[in-house]
Amino acid sequence: MRPFEYVRPVEPEQAIAAVTADPKTSFLAGGTTQLDLMKDGVLDPERLVDITRLPLKGIMHADTAVHVGALTTMEELAADPLLRERLLFVREALLLGASTQLRNMATIGGNLLQRARCRYFRDPTVGACNKRNPGSGCAAIAGIQRMHAILGTSDQCIALHASDVAIPFVALDAIVHIQGQGGPRSVPLTQFYLPPGTSPHIENVLEHGELITEVEIPLLPEGTRSHYLKVRDRVSYEFALTSAGVALQLEGNTIREARVGLGGVGTIPWRAWGAEEVLRGAEAVEETFRAAAEAALEGAQTLPGTAFKVELAKRTLVRTLETVAGAHS
């Protein structure tokens, strides 16, 4: 790791000004991903602005939403009793997203901004990585592809977005509140992330120096059932091969409202709009769930190492829908 300057402001305006003024300066929160990337030589900021003393921590309940400060840890949010009552799949995603030790360090804002888990991005000895070196190519396309994306990909990048909690967040239409030198703004999480296209190195709509201050999580209507299912190679501390976050509002056996997010398959946290359209107004039966899964994976682009994910993702979604609808205990 190269030497760097370290500062710790106590006001958001100070932190924002420090980062905005210098392209080689970065924010530091929990650091559970960032410090690893610095040690590996993938990131090399000349100065880190530690934001952990900023007043951006806490959980506030409102009538229609939970407002979560960006520095609130994953463990603190998972422990909030309202999540168990009204946002169960958010709590499940948080608990499945990391070990207890990491959940006590990792922040909600940092989790949403975590970098790609692509082995080629994280190895600076690999020259071909458009995310790290724009225009250099994508080693993953001709390399080991198993942990890569099949939705939202391009011929420039197939890197996967690995956040678990972002899946129910996008399904809920969560809103990210942002502060920069130009003032505050709010962006729906479904519009926050950018698929790679021809610019894989631009991952979201944040400008340099802008800071996530809060995440607004809409509450599901009372009685809505939800579940997050994560399929992975091992039970403990592993990233998803596929995952699904589902919320259903049922009236008898009819699905009145559906929200579906998919993980382990997208270059961004994936909102399965097509699946939701199939589910709304339909009967909560296996035939409906399988049709929704087909719609969710429509347009998937696979390579030899990722072809298995299409069927696995469909089965993951069907199982999650069955669980939420009460077919499984």
Side-chain angles (χ1 to χ4, degrees):
M1 184 188 295
R2 62 175 288 174
F4 59 89
E5 181 185 355
Y6 172 87
V7 296
R8 181 182 263 183
V10 295
E11 296 295 336
E13 293 77 14
Q14 296 173 332
I16 291 166
V19 175
T20 302
D22 184 358
K24 296 294 287 182
T25 297
S26 299
F27 294 116
L28 173 69
T32 54
T33 295
Q34 186 173 7
L35 292 179
D36 285 343
L37 292 175
M38 290 174 62
K39 291 174 183 177
D40 291 339
V42 177
L43 300 179
D44 61 345
E46 294 179 356
R47 180 168 58 164
L48 288 180
V49 176
D50 186 339
I51 61 173
T52 55
R53 289 188 178 178
L54 303 186
L56 301 177
K57 177 178 280 198
I59 303 169
M60 185 182 72
H61 299 160
D63 290 340
T64 59
V66 177
H67 297 261
V68 183
L71 292 178
T72 304
T73 67
M74 295 172 65
E75 186 69 11
E76 288 168 337
L77 182 57
D80 188 270
L82 189 59
L83 265 64
R84 188 186 295 271
E85 298 173 16
R86 300 280 295 278
L87 294 168
L88 182 59
F89 68 157
V90 173
R91 182 175 189 271
E92 292 171 334
L94 287 164
L95 294 177
L96 291 171
S99 66
T100 305
Q101 293 93 330
L102 285 177
R103 293 199 305 268
N104 276 301
M105 285 294 295
T107 64
I108 296 302
N111 185 278
L112 296 181
L113 293 174
Q114 66 179 282
R115 304 301 302 276
R117 295 289 166 177
C118 173
R119 65 173 64 191
Y120 303 104
F121 167 71
R122 289 170 176 260
D123 184 354
T125 66
V126 175
C129 176
N130 288 319
K131 192 175 285 290
R132 182 167 26 85
N133 298 315
S136 62
C138 178
I141 290 177
I144 299 173
Q145 305 144 358
R146 190 168 186 269
M147 296 302 293
H148 288 78
I150 59 174
L151 294 170
T153 61
S154 74
D155 60 2
Q156 301 291 304
C157 184
I158 59 171
L160 183 74
H161 196 284
S163 172
D164 286 287
V165 76
I167 305 308
F169 279 2
V170 297
L172 287 165
D173 293 312
I175 298 171
V176 177
H177 297 281
I178 299 165
Q179 180 71 41
Q181 285 202 313
R185 63 186 180 117
S186 301
V187 180
L189 201 60
T190 52
Q191 300 174 24
F192 179 79
Y193 296 105
L194 301 175
T198 59
S199 305
H201 61 292
I202 304 175
E203 299 179 347
N204 55 61
V205 300
L206 284 179
E207 300 290 341
H208 183 72
E210 285 191 314
L211 182 65
I212 295 177
T213 58
E214 178 186 293
V215 180
E216 181 181 342
I217 313 168
L219 288 170
L220 291 167
E222 291 191 24
T224 302
R225 305 174 187 176
S226 69
H227 180 51
Y228 182 75
L229 176 62
K230 182 175 182 177
V231 178
R232 46 190 170 173
D233 285 325
R234 59 185 181 186
V235 173
S236 177
Y237 192 52
E238 184 60 277
F239 297 100
L241 289 172
T242 60
S243 67
V246 168
L248 297 180
Q249 190 174 356
L250 296 165
E251 187 176 302
N253 202 43
T254 301
I255 302 168
R256 293 303 179 198
E257 183 57 66
R259 295 179 175 274
V260 180
L262 298 179
V265 291
T267 55
I268 61 176
W270 200 259
R271 181 74 175 269
W273 302 101
E276 294 178 0
E277 291 180 10
V278 171
L279 292 166
R280 290 191 187 101
E283 279 191 276
V285 295
E286 183 179 353
E287 182 180 0
T288 299
F289 300 155
R290 293 195 181 280
E294 291 292 332
L297 274 296
E298 185 176 351
Q301 299 290 320
T302 66
L303 293 165
T306 58
F308 77 98
K309 283 196 171 190
V310 175
E311 182 61 27
L312 183 60
K314 290 177 183 178
R315 295 187 183 195
T316 302
L317 179 52
V318 169
R319 179 58 186 260
T320 311
L321 288 164
E322 289 175 339
T323 301
V324 176
H328 289 279
S329 58

Coordinates of all heavy atoms in Angstrom, one line a residue, residues 97-180:
G97 N -25.6 -11.1 4.2 CA -24.7 -10.4 3.4 C -23.2 -10.4 3.9 O -22.3 -10.1 3.1
A98 N -23.0 -10.7 5.2 CA -21.6 -10.7 5.7 C -21.6 -11.3 7.0 O -22.6 -11.6 7.7 CB -21.1 -9.2 5.8
S99 N -20.4 -11.6 7.5 CA -20.2 -12.1 8.9 C -20.6 -11.1 9.9 O -20.7 -9.9 9.6 CB -18.8 -12.6 9.1 OG -17.9 -11.4 9.1
T100 N -20.8 -11.5 11.1 CA -21.2 -10.5 12.2 C -20.1 -9.5 12.4 O -20.4 -8.3 12.5 CB -21.4 -11.3 13.5 OG1 -22.3 -12.3 13.4 CG2 -21.8 -10.3 14.6
Q101 N -18.8 -9.9 12.3 CA -17.7 -8.9 12.4 C -17.8 -7.8 11.4 O -17.6 -6.6 11.7 CB -16.4 -9.6 12.4 CG -16.1 -10.6 13.6 CD -16.6 -12.0 13.3 OE1 -17.5 -12.2 12.5 NE2 -15.9 -13.0 13.8
L102 N -18.0 -8.2 10.1 CA -18.1 -7.3 9.0 C -19.3 -6.4 9.1 O -19.3 -5.2 8.8 CB -18.0 -8.0 7.7 CG -16.7 -8.5 7.3 CD1 -16.8 -9.3 6.0 CD2 -15.7 -7.4 7.2
R103 N -20.5 -7.0 9.6 CA -21.7 -6.2 9.7 C -21.6 -5.2 10.7 O -22.3 -4.1 10.7 CB -22.9 -7.2 10.0 CG -23.3 -8.1 8.9 CD -24.7 -8.7 9.1 NE -24.9 -9.3 10.4 CZ -24.8 -10.5 10.7 NH1 -24.3 -11.4 9.8 NH2 -25.0 -11.0 11.9
N104 N -20.7 -5.4 11.7 CA -20.5 -4.3 12.7 C -19.6 -3.2 12.3 O -19.5 -2.2 12.9 CB -19.9 -5.0 14.0 CG -21.0 -5.6 14.9 OD1 -21.9 -4.8 15.3 ND2 -21.0 -6.9 15.1
M105 N -18.9 -3.4 11.1 CA -18.1 -2.4 10.6 C -18.7 -1.7 9.3 O -18.6 -0.5 9.1 CB -16.7 -3.0 10.2 CG -15.8 -3.2 11.4 SD -15.3 -1.7 12.3 CE -14.3 -1.0 11.0
A106 N -19.2 -2.5 8.5 CA -19.7 -2.1 7.1 C -20.9 -1.2 7.3 O -21.9 -1.5 8.0 CB -20.0 -3.3 6.3
T107 N -20.9 -0.1 6.6 CA -22.0 0.9 6.6 C -23.0 0.6 5.5 O -22.6 0.0 4.5 CB -21.5 2.3 6.5 OG1 -20.9 2.5 5.3 CG2 -20.5 2.6 7.6
I108 N -24.2 1.2 5.6 CA -25.2 1.0 4.6 C -24.8 1.7 3.3 O -24.9 1.2 2.2 CB -26.6 1.5 5.1 CG1 -27.1 0.6 6.3 CG2 -27.6 1.5 4.0 CD1 -27.2 -0.8 5.9
G109 N -24.3 2.9 3.5 CA -23.8 3.7 2.3 C -22.7 3.0 1.6 O -22.6 2.9 0.4
G110 N -21.7 2.5 2.4 CA -20.6 1.8 1.8 C -21.0 0.5 1.1 O -20.4 0.1 0.1
N111 N -22.0 -0.2 1.7 CA -22.4 -1.4 1.1 C -23.0 -1.2 -0.3 O -22.8 -1.9 -1.2 CB -23.5 -2.1 2.0 CG -23.9 -3.5 1.4 OD1 -24.8 -3.5 0.5 ND2 -23.4 -4.5 2.0
L112 N -23.8 -0.1 -0.4 CA -24.4 0.2 -1.7 C -23.3 0.6 -2.7 O -23.5 0.5 -4.0 CB -25.4 1.3 -1.6 CG -26.6 1.0 -0.7 CD1 -27.5 2.2 -0.7 CD2 -27.3 -0.2 -1.3
L113 N -22.1 1.1 -2.3 CA -21.1 1.5 -3.2 C -19.9 0.5 -3.3 O -18.9 0.9 -3.9 CB -20.5 2.9 -2.6 CG -21.5 4.1 -2.7 CD1 -20.8 5.3 -2.0 CD2 -21.8 4.4 -4.2
Q114 N -20.1 -0.7 -2.8 CA -19.0 -1.6 -2.9 C -18.6 -1.9 -4.3 O -19.5 -1.9 -5.2 CB -19.4 -2.9 -2.1 CG -20.5 -3.7 -2.8 CD -20.8 -5.0 -2.0 OE1 -20.1 -6.0 -2.1 NE2 -21.8 -5.0 -1.2
R115 N -17.4 -2.2 -4.5 CA -16.8 -2.4 -5.9 C -17.0 -3.8 -6.3 O -17.3 -4.7 -5.5 CB -15.4 -2.0 -5.9 CG -15.1 -0.5 -5.5 CD -15.8 0.5 -6.3 NE -15.5 0.5 -7.7 CZ -14.4 1.0 -8.3 NH1 -13.6 1.7 -7.6 NH2 -14.3 0.9 -9.6
A116 N -16.8 -4.0 -7.6 CA -17.0 -5.3 -8.2 C -16.2 -6.4 -7.6 O -15.0 -6.1 -7.2 CB -16.8 -5.3 -9.7
R117 N -16.7 -7.6 -7.5 CA -16.0 -8.7 -6.9 C -15.2 -9.5 -8.0 O -14.7 -10.6 -7.8 CB -16.9 -9.7 -6.2 CG -17.6 -9.0 -5.0 CD -16.6 -8.8 -3.9 NE -17.1 -7.9 -2.8 CZ -16.4 -7.6 -1.7 NH1 -15.2 -8.2 -1.5 NH2 -16.9 -6.8 -0.8
C118 N -15.1 -8.9 -9.2 CA -14.4 -9.6 -10.3 C -12.9 -9.8 -10.0 O -12.2 -8.8 -9.6 CB -14.6 -8.7 -11.6 SG -13.6 -9.3 -13.0
R119 N -12.5 -11.0 -10.1 CA -11.1 -11.3 -9.8 C -10.1 -10.5 -10.7 O -9.0 -10.2 -10.3 CB -10.8 -12.8 -9.9 CG -10.9 -13.4 -11.3 CD -10.5 -14.8 -11.3 NE -11.4 -15.7 -10.5 CZ -11.1 -16.9 -10.2 NH1 -9.9 -17.5 -10.6 NH2 -11.9 -17.6 -9.5
Y120 N -10.5 -10.2 -11.9 CA -9.7 -9.5 -12.8 C -9.6 -8.0 -12.5 O -8.5 -7.4 -12.6 CB -10.1 -9.7 -14.2 CG -10.2 -11.2 -14.6 CD1 -11.4 -11.9 -14.6 CD2 -9.0 -11.9 -14.8 CE1 -11.5 -13.2 -14.9 CE2 -9.1 -13.3 -15.1 CZ -10.3 -13.9 -15.2 OH -10.4 -15.3 -15.4
F121 N -10.7 -7.4 -12.0 CA -10.7 -6.1 -11.5 C -9.8 -5.9 -10.3 O -9.1 -4.9 -10.1 CB -12.1 -5.6 -11.2 CG -12.2 -4.4 -10.4 CD1 -11.9 -3.1 -11.0 CD2 -12.6 -4.4 -9.1 CE1 -11.9 -1.9 -10.3 CE2 -12.7 -3.2 -8.4 CZ -12.3 -2.0 -9.0
R122 N -9.8 -6.9 -9.5 CA -9.1 -6.9 -8.2 C -7.6 -7.3 -8.3 O -6.9 -7.4 -7.3 CB -9.8 -7.7 -7.1 CG -11.1 -7.0 -6.7 CD -12.0 -7.8 -5.9 NE -13.2 -7.0 -5.5 CZ -13.3 -6.4 -4.3 NH1 -12.4 -6.6 -3.4 NH2 -14.4 -5.7 -4.0
D123 N -7.2 -7.6 -9.5 CA -5.8 -8.1 -9.6 C -5.1 -7.1 -10.6 O -5.2 -7.1 -11.8 CB -5.7 -9.5 -10.2 CG -4.3 -10.0 -10.4 OD1 -3.3 -9.2 -10.1 OD2 -4.1 -11.2 -10.7
P124 N -4.3 -6.1 -10.0 CA -3.7 -5.1 -10.9 C -2.6 -5.7 -11.8 O -2.2 -4.9 -12.8 CB -3.0 -4.2 -9.9 CG -2.8 -5.0 -8.6 CD -4.0 -6.0 -8.6
T125 N -2.2 -6.9 -11.7 CA -1.3 -7.5 -12.7 C -2.0 -7.9 -14.0 O -1.4 -8.2 -15.0 CB -0.6 -8.8 -12.1 OG1 -1.6 -9.8 -11.9 CG2 0.1 -8.4 -10.8
V126 N -3.4 -7.9 -13.9 CA -4.2 -8.2 -15.1 C -4.4 -6.8 -15.9 O -5.0 -5.9 -15.3 CB -5.5 -8.8 -14.8 CG1 -6.4 -9.0 -16.0 CG2 -5.3 -10.2 -14.1
G127 N -3.9 -6.7 -17.1 CA -4.0 -5.5 -17.8 C -5.3 -5.2 -18.3 O -5.8 -4.0 -18.4
A128 N -6.0 -6.2 -18.8 CA -7.3 -6.0 -19.5 C -8.5 -5.9 -18.5 O -9.0 -7.0 -18.1 CB -7.5 -7.1 -20.5
C129 N -8.8 -4.7 -18.1 CA -10.0 -4.5 -17.2 C -10.5 -3.1 -17.5 O -9.9 -2.1 -17.1 CB -9.6 -4.7 -15.7 SG -11.0 -4.3 -14.7
N130 N -11.6 -3.0 -18.2 CA -12.1 -1.7 -18.6 C -12.6 -1.0 -17.4 O -12.7 0.3 -17.4 CB -13.3 -1.9 -19.6 CG -12.8 -2.3 -20.9 OD1 -11.8 -1.8 -21.4 ND2 -13.5 -3.3 -21.6
K131 N -13.0 -1.7 -16.3 CA -13.4 -1.0 -15.1 C -12.3 -0.3 -14.4 O -12.4 0.8 -13.8 CB -14.1 -2.0 -14.2 CG -14.9 -1.4 -13.0 CD -15.7 -2.4 -12.2 CE -16.9 -2.9 -13.0 NZ -17.9 -1.9 -13.0
R132 N -11.1 -0.9 -14.4 CA -9.9 -0.4 -13.8 C -9.1 0.5 -14.7 O -8.5 1.5 -14.3 CB -9.1 -1.5 -13.2 CG -7.8 -1.1 -12.5 CD -7.2 -2.2 -11.6 NE -7.5 -3.6 -12.1 CZ -6.8 -4.2 -13.1 NH1 -5.8 -3.6 -13.7 NH2 -7.1 -5.4 -13.4
N133 N -8.9 0.0 -16.0 CA -8.2 0.7 -17.0 C -9.1 0.9 -18.2 O -9.1 0.0 -19.1 CB -6.9 0.0 -17.4 CG -6.0 -0.2 -16.2 OD1 -5.7 0.8 -15.5 ND2 -5.4 -1.4 -16.0
P134 N -9.9 2.0 -18.3 CA -10.8 2.1 -19.4 C -10.1 1.9 -20.8 O -9.0 2.5 -21.0 CB -11.3 3.6 -19.3 CG -11.2 3.8 -17.8 CD -9.9 3.1 -17.4
G135 N -10.7 1.1 -21.6 CA -10.2 0.9 -23.0 C -9.3 -0.3 -23.1 O -8.8 -0.5 -24.2
S136 N -9.0 -1.0 -22.0 CA -8.0 -2.0 -22.0 C -8.6 -3.4 -22.4 O -7.8 -4.3 -22.6 CB -7.3 -2.1 -20.6 OG -8.2 -2.4 -19.6
G137 N -9.9 -3.5 -22.3 CA -10.5 -4.8 -22.6 C -11.1 -5.4 -21.3 O -11.0 -4.9 -20.2
C138 N -11.6 -6.7 -21.5 CA -12.2 -7.4 -20.4 C -11.7 -8.8 -20.3 O -12.1 -9.6 -21.1 CB -13.8 -7.4 -20.5 SG -14.6 -8.3 -19.2
A139 N -10.8 -9.0 -19.4 CA -10.2 -10.4 -19.3 C -11.2 -11.4 -18.9 O -11.1 -12.6 -19.2 CB -9.1 -10.3 -18.3
A140 N -12.3 -11.0 -18.2 CA -13.3 -12.0 -17.7 C -14.0 -12.7 -18.8 O -14.4 -13.8 -18.7 CB -14.2 -11.3 -16.7
I141 N -14.2 -12.0 -19.9 CA -15.0 -12.5 -21.0 C -14.3 -13.8 -21.6 O -15.0 -14.7 -22.0 CB -15.2 -11.5 -22.1 CG1 -16.2 -10.4 -21.6 CG2 -15.8 -12.1 -23.4 CD1 -16.5 -9.3 -22.5
A142 N -13.0 -13.8 -21.6 CA -12.3 -15.0 -22.1 C -11.7 -15.8 -20.9 O -11.0 -16.8 -21.2 CB -11.2 -14.6 -23.0
G143 N -12.0 -15.4 -19.7 CA -11.4 -16.1 -18.6 C -12.4 -16.9 -17.8 O -13.3 -17.6 -18.3
I144 N -12.2 -16.9 -16.5 CA -13.1 -17.7 -15.6 C -14.3 -16.8 -15.3 O -14.2 -15.8 -14.7 CB -12.4 -18.0 -14.3 CG1 -11.1 -18.9 -14.6 CG2 -13.3 -18.8 -13.3 CD1 -10.2 -19.2 -13.4
Q145 N -15.5 -17.3 -15.7 CA -16.7 -16.5 -15.7 C -17.7 -16.8 -14.7 O -18.7 -16.1 -14.6 CB -17.3 -16.6 -17.1 CG -16.4 -16.3 -18.3 CD -16.6 -17.2 -19.5 OE1 -17.5 -18.1 -19.5 NE2 -15.9 -17.0 -20.5
R146 N -17.5 -17.8 -13.9 CA -18.6 -18.4 -13.0 C -19.3 -17.4 -12.1 O -20.5 -17.4 -11.9 CB -18.0 -19.5 -12.2 CG -19.1 -20.3 -11.5 CD -18.5 -21.6 -10.9 NE -19.5 -22.4 -10.3 CZ -19.8 -22.4 -9.0 NH1 -19.2 -21.5 -8.2 NH2 -20.8 -23.2 -8.5
M147 N -18.5 -16.4 -11.6 CA -19.1 -15.5 -10.6 C -19.4 -14.1 -11.3 O -19.4 -13.1 -10.6 CB -18.1 -15.2 -9.5 CG -17.8 -16.5 -8.6 SD -19.3 -17.2 -7.9 CE -19.8 -15.9 -6.7
H148 N -19.8 -14.2 -12.6 CA -20.0 -13.0 -13.3 C -21.5 -12.8 -13.7 O -22.3 -13.7 -13.4 CB -19.1 -12.8 -14.5 CG -17.7 -12.5 -14.1 ND1 -16.8 -13.5 -13.6 CD2 -17.0 -11.4 -14.1 CE1 -15.7 -12.9 -13.3 NE2 -15.8 -11.6 -13.6
A149 N -21.8 -11.7 -14.3 CA -23.2 -11.4 -14.5 C -23.8 -11.9 -15.9 O -23.0 -12.2 -16.8 CB -23.4 -9.8 -14.5
I150 N -25.1 -12.0 -15.9 CA -25.8 -12.4 -17.2 C -26.8 -11.4 -17.6 O -27.4 -11.5 -18.7 CB -26.4 -13.8 -17.1 CG1 -27.4 -13.9 -15.9 CG2 -25.3 -14.9 -16.9 CD1 -28.1 -15.2 -15.9
L151 N -27.1 -10.4 -16.8 CA -28.1 -9.4 -17.1 C -27.4 -8.0 -17.0 O -26.6 -7.8 -16.0 CB -29.3 -9.4 -16.1 CG -30.2 -10.7 -16.2 CD1 -31.1 -10.7 -15.0 CD2 -30.9 -10.7 -17.5
G152 N -27.6 -7.2 -18.0 CA -27.1 -5.8 -17.9 C -25.6 -5.8 -18.4 O -24.9 -4.8 -18.2
T153 N -25.1 -6.9 -19.0 CA -23.7 -6.9 -19.4 C -23.5 -6.2 -20.7 O -24.5 -5.9 -21.4 CB -23.3 -8.4 -19.5 OG1 -24.1 -9.0 -20.5 CG2 -23.5 -9.1 -18.2
S154 N -22.3 -6.0 -21.1 CA -21.9 -5.5 -22.4 C -20.6 -6.2 -22.9 O -20.0 -7.0 -22.1 CB -21.7 -4.0 -22.4 OG -20.5 -3.7 -21.7
D155 N -20.2 -6.0 -24.1 CA -18.9 -6.6 -24.5 C -17.7 -5.9 -23.9 O -16.6 -6.2 -24.2 CB -18.8 -6.5 -26.1 CG -18.9 -5.1 -26.6 OD1 -19.0 -4.1 -25.9 OD2 -18.8 -5.0 -27.9
Q156 N -18.0 -4.9 -23.0 CA -16.9 -4.2 -22.3 C -16.7 -4.7 -20.9 O -15.7 -4.5 -20.3 CB -17.2 -2.7 -22.3 CG -17.4 -2.1 -23.6 CD -16.1 -2.0 -24.4 OE1 -15.1 -1.5 -23.9 NE2 -16.0 -2.6 -25.6
C157 N -17.8 -5.3 -20.3 CA -17.7 -5.7 -18.9 C -18.8 -6.7 -18.5 O -20.0 -6.5 -18.9 CB -17.7 -4.5 -18.0 SG -17.5 -4.8 -16.2
I158 N -18.5 -7.7 -17.7 CA -19.5 -8.6 -17.2 C -19.4 -8.7 -15.7 O -19.9 -9.7 -15.1 CB -19.4 -10.0 -17.8 CG1 -18.0 -10.6 -17.6 CG2 -19.7 -9.9 -19.3 CD1 -17.9 -12.1 -18.0
A159 N -18.8 -7.7 -15.1 CA -18.6 -7.8 -13.6 C -19.9 -7.7 -12.9 O -20.8 -7.0 -13.3 CB -17.7 -6.7 -13.2
L160 N -20.0 -8.4 -11.8 CA -21.2 -8.6 -11.0 C -21.3 -7.5 -9.9 O -20.3 -7.2 -9.3 CB -21.3 -10.0 -10.4 CG -22.5 -10.4 -9.6 CD1 -23.7 -10.7 -10.5 CD2 -22.1 -11.7 -8.8
H161 N -22.5 -7.0 -9.6 CA -22.7 -6.2 -8.4 C -23.1 -7.1 -7.3 O -24.1 -7.9 -7.4 CB -23.7 -5.1 -8.6 CG -23.7 -4.1 -7.5 ND1 -24.2 -4.3 -6.3 CD2 -23.2 -2.8 -7.6 CE1 -24.0 -3.2 -5.5 NE2 -23.4 -2.3 -6.3
A162 N -22.3 -7.1 -6.2 CA -22.4 -8.2 -5.2 C -23.2 -7.9 -4.0 O -23.4 -8.7 -3.1 CB -21.0 -8.6 -4.7
S163 N -23.8 -6.6 -3.9 CA -24.5 -6.3 -2.7 C -25.8 -7.1 -2.5 O -26.5 -7.3 -3.5 CB -24.9 -4.8 -2.7 OG -25.8 -4.5 -1.6
D164 N -26.0 -7.6 -1.3 CA -27.2 -8.4 -1.0 C -28.4 -7.4 -0.7 O -29.5 -7.5 -1.2 CB -27.0 -9.3 0.2 CG -26.2 -10.5 -0.2 OD1 -26.8 -11.4 -0.9 OD2 -25.0 -10.6 0.2
V165 N -28.1 -6.5 0.2 CA -29.2 -5.6 0.7 C -29.7 -4.7 -0.4 O -30.9 -4.2 -0.4 CB -28.8 -4.8 1.9 CG1 -27.9 -3.6 1.6 CG2 -30.0 -4.3 2.7
A166 N -28.9 -4.4 -1.4 CA -29.4 -3.6 -2.5 C -30.5 -4.2 -3.3 O -31.3 -3.5 -4.0 CB -28.2 -3.3 -3.5
I167 N -30.6 -5.6 -3.2 CA -31.7 -6.3 -4.0 C -33.0 -5.9 -3.4 O -33.9 -5.4 -4.2 CB -31.4 -7.8 -4.0 CG1 -30.0 -8.1 -4.5 CG2 -32.5 -8.5 -4.8 CD1 -29.7 -7.4 -5.9
P168 N -33.3 -6.1 -2.2 CA -34.6 -5.6 -1.7 C -34.8 -4.1 -1.7 O -35.9 -3.6 -1.9 CB -34.7 -6.1 -0.2 CG -33.3 -6.5 0.2 CD -32.6 -6.9 -1.1
F169 N -33.7 -3.4 -1.6 CA -33.8 -1.9 -1.7 C -34.3 -1.5 -3.1 O -35.2 -0.6 -3.2 CB -32.4 -1.3 -1.5 CG -32.0 -1.1 0.0 CD1 -32.9 -1.6 1.0 CD2 -30.8 -0.5 0.3 CE1 -32.5 -1.4 2.3 CE2 -30.5 -0.3 1.7 CZ -31.3 -0.8 2.7
V170 N -33.8 -2.1 -4.2 CA -34.3 -1.7 -5.5 C -35.7 -2.2 -5.7 O -36.5 -1.5 -6.4 CB -33.3 -2.2 -6.6 CG1 -32.0 -1.6 -6.6 CG2 -33.3 -3.7 -6.7
A171 N -36.0 -3.3 -5.1 CA -37.4 -3.8 -5.3 C -38.4 -2.9 -4.5 O -39.5 -2.8 -5.0 CB -37.5 -5.2 -4.7
L172 N -37.9 -2.2 -3.5 CA -38.8 -1.3 -2.7 C -38.8 0.1 -3.2 O -39.5 0.9 -2.7 CB -38.3 -1.3 -1.3 CG -38.5 -2.5 -0.4 CD1 -37.7 -2.5 0.8 CD2 -40.0 -2.6 -0.1
D173 N -38.1 0.4 -4.3 CA -37.9 1.8 -4.7 C -37.3 2.7 -3.7 O -37.7 3.8 -3.5 CB -39.3 2.4 -5.2 CG -39.8 1.7 -6.4 OD1 -39.0 1.5 -7.4 OD2 -41.0 1.3 -6.4
A174 N -36.3 2.2 -3.0 CA -35.6 3.0 -2.0 C -35.0 4.2 -2.7 O -34.7 4.2 -3.9 CB -34.5 2.2 -1.3
I175 N -34.8 5.3 -1.9 CA -34.3 6.5 -2.4 C -32.9 6.9 -1.7 O -32.8 6.8 -0.5 CB -35.3 7.7 -2.2 CG1 -36.6 7.4 -3.0 CG2 -34.7 9.0 -2.6 CD1 -37.7 8.3 -2.7
V176 N -31.9 7.2 -2.5 CA -30.6 7.6 -2.0 C -30.6 9.1 -1.9 O -30.8 9.8 -2.9 CB -29.5 7.1 -2.9 CG1 -28.2 7.6 -2.3 CG2 -29.5 5.6 -2.9
H177 N -30.3 9.7 -0.7 CA -30.2 11.1 -0.6 C -28.7 11.5 -0.6 O -27.9 10.8 0.1 CB -30.8 11.6 0.8 CG -32.3 11.3 0.8 ND1 -33.2 12.2 0.2 CD2 -33.1 10.3 1.3 CE1 -34.4 11.7 0.3 NE2 -34.4 10.6 1.0
I178 N -28.3 12.5 -1.4 CA -27.0 12.8 -1.7 C -26.7 14.3 -1.4 O -27.5 15.1 -1.6 CB -26.7 12.5 -3.2 CG1 -26.9 11.0 -3.5 CG2 -25.3 13.0 -3.6 CD1 -27.0 10.7 -5.0
Q179 N -25.5 14.5 -0.9 CA -25.1 15.9 -0.6 C -23.8 16.2 -1.4 O -22.8 15.4 -1.3 CB -24.9 16.1 0.9 CG -24.4 17.6 1.3 CD -25.5 18.6 1.1 OE1 -26.7 18.3 1.4 NE2 -25.2 19.7 0.6
G180 N -23.7 17.3 -2.0 CA -22.5 17.7 -2.7 C -22.3 19.2 -2.6 O -23.2 19.9 -1.9

